[in-house]
């Protein structure tokens, strides 16, 4: 029995397998005007300069894109008390801005209406990581990119700008923000001598979100100190026993409220007095250094939120804590 | 094949009369009406949505013509698979309920009672809230695994040295379901709010994301499970009179009882894994079928499947079109449609009994 044909076949098979293992994966071949982009759901050809972007998630994806002037035409809208609004953008820029930008609702961000997305004829669809299962359906309509949910604040904005072909606008806004932070640091002298504590109170305990949007980025960038319990807390949310409230004390205490949901400062102070009256025993509170910020604005994923939070914190601290306090 | 009409029955006989099929006329009539209603709702569903497509264009697209790429996508990729998924899921949940009610001889048994829905829910919530970086594509598999594991746990825990007991099975199911639900609630309460919201959308039972892959999955499983259920339907009929009577009739009671429980759990687990828990379908559809046309077990299962399909397709149509682009999960609407229907059926039944 001649063995040569089998030997040749074996050689060919070995060579093919070897070629498969050593040849690097070929980059996606995209048509003119498109480029390959790697994301959570794989590699996709996306427009180099998208003109009609639909972002299913409004506060962390569509809003930062609007902030840098990207052409967002559709986003998930929330409906509260019968009013549909674009979470993030409506509170930060105003309903008139959203209307003027022509952003259409594609339904609730958690259950987007795929037909409504198709009707907008987008050229790029952006999904948050936890909705990656919608990518297959969405990609039938237009190139779809799945965004990582847990990127650091500025990296998240940078990735979005890159996808939208708006890196230039992002760099410009970032430079403006950095300059503002440098000015604030110079005005404050030694920000690390001032402890800024951020917390909220609910019926079940103290609420502290680590790495919470713009306000957290600003506290870090200016270089304020934080209570040890906050620097040690990781994860997206922590519910903390009221017994640990003294550890949340600081020079400046800030808490959030959301007018969108009918929340007011008198409402919260009355509620806190009822469920945890000892919050008034904190040194910061006794020194009248407890302040409130509008949650959706200071926490938002925009440069406007960064600038608003930076200016707000400067106002609360400048000249009030001389060196060495 | 010869057909003869007896009082209230149509009897079909093979040439040498080796096989005969006795079909109740009323049940056949009801089945026909249900199929016409289903066809009508499917037609409306295919022609309705946020993307404006004329009925003629829908029909042309279904015939294979390309009116436009966008219309092709809307009809073939969104509406058609979604409608088919709703039909299949409705039929599977309904038959699961019918089989469970027969196995437990308890008219209140449905997939939620034996922990199938809760097991699937716990698995999906765990995946969404605790492991957010894991691909969402694993969600159906996790749901299926959760449902099967809990059903097996209920089965295992309810067994004694004397064998399985129906009441023990039900009580164990209720207890374990409550325990699992409390864990799910804790995760929803303490997990990240956005992820909890995402899990909530699935928990409400949404057919929003169903695609062709889901349709093929459901069809493949139905092709296996439905014949199994129909094959044991005669013994299931005997079980309606109780185990002792069924044993007296020479039925392989233990085998059939275990088999119908396994098939019921599998039907619900597969359906839940695709669209999330759809409440009340498994509870209501068998009762509705029984009230509309009392029939033998095989016909009862088919009628039940049709009613379940009708209920879920209708719920999905209303949910996606009534307040578009806001999508109301089908699970909420099956409850809204189903509960008044269930109460009406019970009241009618009570009036008839009295």
């Amino acid at each position: 029995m001649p063995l040569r044909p089998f030997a040749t076949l074996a050689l060919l098979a070995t060579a093919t397998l070897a070629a498969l293992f050593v040849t690097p994966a070929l980059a996606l071949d995209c048509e003119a005007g498109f480029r390959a982009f790697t994301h959570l759901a794989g590699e996709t050809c996306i427009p180099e300069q998208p003109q009609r972007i639909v972002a299913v998630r409004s506060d962390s994806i569509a809003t930062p894109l609007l902030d840098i002037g990207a052409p967002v035409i559709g986003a998930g809208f929330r409906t509260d008390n019968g009013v549909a609004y674009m979470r993030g953008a409506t509170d930060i820029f105003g309903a008139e801005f959203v209307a003027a930008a022509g952003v259409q609702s594609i339904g609730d961000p958690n259950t987007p209406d795929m037909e409504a997305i198709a009707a907008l004829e987008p050229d790029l669809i952006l999904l948050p990581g936890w909705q990656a299962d919608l990518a297959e359906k969405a990609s039938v309509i237009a190139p779809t990119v799945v965004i990582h949910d847990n990127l650091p604040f500025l990296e998240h904005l940078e990735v979005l700008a890159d996808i939208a072909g708006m890196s230039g606008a992002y760099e410009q806004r970032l430079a403006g923000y950095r300059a503002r932070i440098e000015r604030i640091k110079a005005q404050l002298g030694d920000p690390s001598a001032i402890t800024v504590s951020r917390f909220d109170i609910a019926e079940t305990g103290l609420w502290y979100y680590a790495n919470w949007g713009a306000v957290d980025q600003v506290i870090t960038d200016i270089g304020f100190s934080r209570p040890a319990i906050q620097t040690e807390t990781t994860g997206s949310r922590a519910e903390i026993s009221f017994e640990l409230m003294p550890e949340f004390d600081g020079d400046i205490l800030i808490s959030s409220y959301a007018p969108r949901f009918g929340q007011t400062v008198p409402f919260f102070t009355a509620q806190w007095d009822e469920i945890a009256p000892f919050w008034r025993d904190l040194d910061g509170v006794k020194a009248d250094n407890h302040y409130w910020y509008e949650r959706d604005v200071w926490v938002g994923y925009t440069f406007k939120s960064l600038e608003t939070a930076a200016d707000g914190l400067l106002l609360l601290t400048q000249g009030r804590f001389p060196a060495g306090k | 094949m010869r057909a003869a009409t007896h009082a209230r029955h149509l009897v079909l006989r093979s040439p040498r009369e080796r096989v005969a099929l006795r079909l109740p006329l009323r049940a056949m009539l009801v089945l026909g009406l249900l199929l016409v209603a289903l066809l009508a709702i499917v037609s409306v569903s295919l022609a309705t949505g946020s993307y404006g497509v004329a009925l003629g264009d829908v029909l042309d697209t279904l015939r294979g013509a390309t009116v436009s790429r966008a219309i092709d996508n809307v009809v073939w990729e969104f509406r058609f698979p979604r409608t088919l998924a709703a039909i299949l899921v409705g039929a599977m949940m309904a038959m699961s309920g019918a089989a469970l009610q027969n196995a437990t001889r308890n008219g209140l048994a449905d997939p939620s009672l034996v922990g199938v829905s809760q097991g699937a829910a716990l698995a999906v919530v765990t995946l969404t809230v605790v492991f957010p970086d894991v691909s969402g594509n694993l969600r159906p598999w996790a749901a299926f695994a959760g449902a099967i594991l809990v059903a097996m746990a209920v089965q295992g825990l309810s067994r004694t040295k004397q064998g399985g007991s129906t009441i023990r099975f039900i009580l164990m199911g209720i207890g374990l379901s409550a325990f699992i639900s409390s864990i799910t609630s804790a995760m929803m309460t303490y997990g990240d709010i956005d992820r909890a919201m995402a899990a909530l959308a699935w928990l409400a039972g949404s057919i929003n994301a169903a695609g062709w892959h889901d349709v093929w999955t459901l069809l493949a499983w139905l092709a296996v499970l439905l014949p199994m259920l129909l094959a044991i339907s005669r013994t299931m009929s005997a079980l309606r009179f109780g185990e002792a009577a069924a044993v007296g009739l020479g039925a392989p009671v233990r085998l059939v009882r275990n088999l119908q429980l396994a098939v019921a759990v599998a039907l619900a687990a597969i359906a839940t894994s695709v669209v999330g828990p759809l409440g009340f379908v498994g509870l209501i559809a068998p009762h509705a079928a029984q009230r509309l046309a009392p029939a033998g077990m095989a016909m009862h299962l088919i009628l039940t499947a049709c009613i379940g399909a009708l209920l879920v397709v209708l719920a999905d149509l209303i949910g996606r079109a009534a307040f578009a682009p806001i999508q109301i999960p089908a699970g909420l609407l099956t409850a809204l449609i189903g509960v008044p229907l269930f109460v009406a059926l019970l009241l009618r039944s009570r009036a008839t009994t009295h």
Side-chain angles (χ1 to χ4, degrees), chain A residues 307-324:
Chain A
E307 290 154 6
T308 307
D311 291 348
L313 285 170
L314 175 67
L315 273 174
L316 297 181
T317 50
Q318 189 178 21
R320 303 188 57 215
F321 300 96

Side-chain angles (χ1 to χ4, degrees), chain A residues 57 112-113 115 137 237 239, chain B residues 50 79 189-191 194 208 210:
Chain A
R57 179 84 196 192
D113 183 346
E115 285 191 34
K137 281 203 126 184
R237 184 168 79 179
E239 190 186 29
Chain B
S50 297
R79 290 186 194 169
T189 306
Y190 298 112
D194 290 328
N208 195 27

Side-chain angles (χ1 to χ4, degrees), chain B residues 159-230:
Chain B
R159 292 197 78 81
T160 60
K161 283 178 183 171
Q162 288 76 39
S165 147
T166 301
I167 191 70
R168 203 176 153 85
F169 180 79
I170 291 174
L171 290 175
M172 200 58 80
I174 292 169
L176 206 58
S177 298
F179 175 68
I180 292 167
S181 293
S182 65
I183 299 174
T184 307
S185 299
M187 280 198 204
M188 298 285 286
T189 306
Y190 298 112
D192 181 89
I193 187 74
D194 290 328
R195 301 203 173 95
M197 288 291 285
L200 200 62
W202 185 86
L203 284 175
S206 177
I207 306 170
N208 195 27
W212 282 111
H213 175 74
D214 299 314
V215 172
W216 295 127
T217 304
L218 292 166
L219 263 179
W221 280 100
L222 194 62
V224 173
L225 298 170
L226 179 60
M228 285 173 77
L229 209 52
L230 292 177

Side-chain angles (χ1 to χ4, degrees), chain B residues 89 92-101 108-120 147 150-151 154 169 173-174 177 264-269 271-272 277-284 286:
Chain B
V89 160
M92 290 169 88
M93 291 297 270
M95 283 193 293
S96 172
L100 283 172
Q101 286 174 17
L108 292 175
D110 86 336
S112 310
L113 188 82
V114 292
V116 173
S117 302
Q118 289 84 350
V150 173
V154 174
F169 180 79
I174 292 169
S177 298
V265 167
L267 281 167
T272 306
L278 286 179
F280 292 98
V281 180
L283 178 66
I284 293 157

Side-chain angles (χ1 to χ4, degrees), chain B:
Chain B
M1 177 85 62
R2 284 191 301 119
T5 308
H6 294 259
R8 298 183 178 183
H9 286 88
L10 175 71
V11 182
L12 300 173
R13 298 179 199 281
S14 63
R16 291 186 180 178
E17 299 199 358
R18 293 179 70 111
V19 180
L21 196 59
R22 189 165 170 264
L23 301 168
L25 283 175
R26 181 176 171 183
M28 293 292 287
L29 180 69
V30 170
L31 179 62
L33 290 173
L34 286 172
L35 289 175
V36 169
L38 189 60
L39 196 65
I41 294 175
V42 166
S43 305
V44 175
S45 182
L46 288 175
T48 310
S50 297
Y51 194 103
V53 189
L55 186 60
D57 288 344
V58 172
L59 293 174
D60 285 344
T61 306
L62 289 175
R63 274 198 289 266
T66 299
V67 181
S68 76
R69 186 172 162 262
I71 292 176
D72 252 15
N73 284 339
V74 166
V75 174
W76 281 112
E77 300 298 333
F78 301 149
R79 290 186 194 169
F80 204 33
R82 182 172 176 161
T83 305
L84 287 177
I87 291 172
L88 293 169
V89 160
M92 290 169 88
M93 291 297 270
M95 283 193 293
S96 172
L100 283 172
Q101 286 174 17
N102 191 66
T104 58
R105 298 188 68 208
N106 186 320
L108 292 175
D110 86 336
S112 310
L113 188 82
V114 292
V116 173
S117 302
Q118 289 84 350
L122 177 61
V124 169
V125 171
T126 305
L127 199 68
T128 312
V129 176
V130 183
F131 304 105
D133 292 332
V134 174
S135 167
N137 294 326
L138 289 178
R139 197 181 279 180
W141 292 104
F144 182 65
I148 292 288
L149 280 175
V150 173
M152 283 169 63
V154 174
Q155 280 253 46
L157 290 169
S158 61
R159 292 197 78 81
T160 60
K161 283 178 183 171
Q162 288 76 39
S165 147
T166 301
I167 191 70
R168 203 176 153 85
F169 180 79
I170 291 174
L171 290 175
M172 200 58 80
I174 292 169
L176 206 58
S177 298
F179 175 68
I180 292 167
S181 293
S182 65
I183 299 174
T184 307
S185 299
M187 280 198 204
M188 298 285 286
T189 306
Y190 298 112
D192 181 89
I193 187 74
D194 290 328
R195 301 203 173 95
M197 288 291 285
L200 200 62
W202 185 86
L203 284 175
S206 177
I207 306 170
N208 195 27
W212 282 111
H213 175 74
D214 299 314
V215 172
W216 295 127
T217 304
L218 292 166
L219 263 179
W221 280 100
L222 194 62
V224 173
L225 298 170
L226 179 60
M228 285 173 77
L229 209 52
L230 292 177
I232 59 169
S233 61
R234 291 178 74 86
T235 310
M236 286 168 70
S237 290
L239 276 169
R240 280 175 165 179
F241 303 105
E243 286 196 11
V247 169
L249 289 167
V253 171
R254 181 172 289 187
L255 174 73
V256 168
R257 186 178 165 276
N258 288 336
L259 193 59
Q260 71 172 330
L261 275 177
V263 173
V265 167
L267 281 167
I270 301 292
T272 306
S273 71
V274 172
V275 301
L278 286 179
F280 292 98
V281 180
L283 178 66
I284 293 157
H287 285 278
Q290 187 62 29
R291 300 289 183 279
L292 287 171
M297 184 48 84
M299 181 56 84
H300 174 67
L301 286 170
I302 291 169
L303 287 172
T304 299
C306 280
I307 292 169
L310 198 66
L311 189 62
V312 177
V313 168
L314 186 64
D316 182 53
L317 170 63
I318 296 170
R320 76 180 165 84
F323 303 101
I326 293 169
Q327 307 280 285
I328 300 173
L332 293 181
L333 285 157
T334 52
L336 278 174
I337 298 169
V339 172
L341 187 71
F342 186 57
V343 171
L345 284 167
L346 283 180
L347 289 175
R348 190 180 149 215
S349 159
R350 194 170 62 180
T352 311
T353 311
H354 283 208

Side-chain angles (χ1 to χ4, degrees), chain A residues 83-99:
Chain A
V83 178
Y85 66 100
M86 194 175 161
R87 190 176 172 203
T90 304
D91 295 300
I92 297 167
F93 309 121
E96 297 79 10
F97 174 90
V98 174

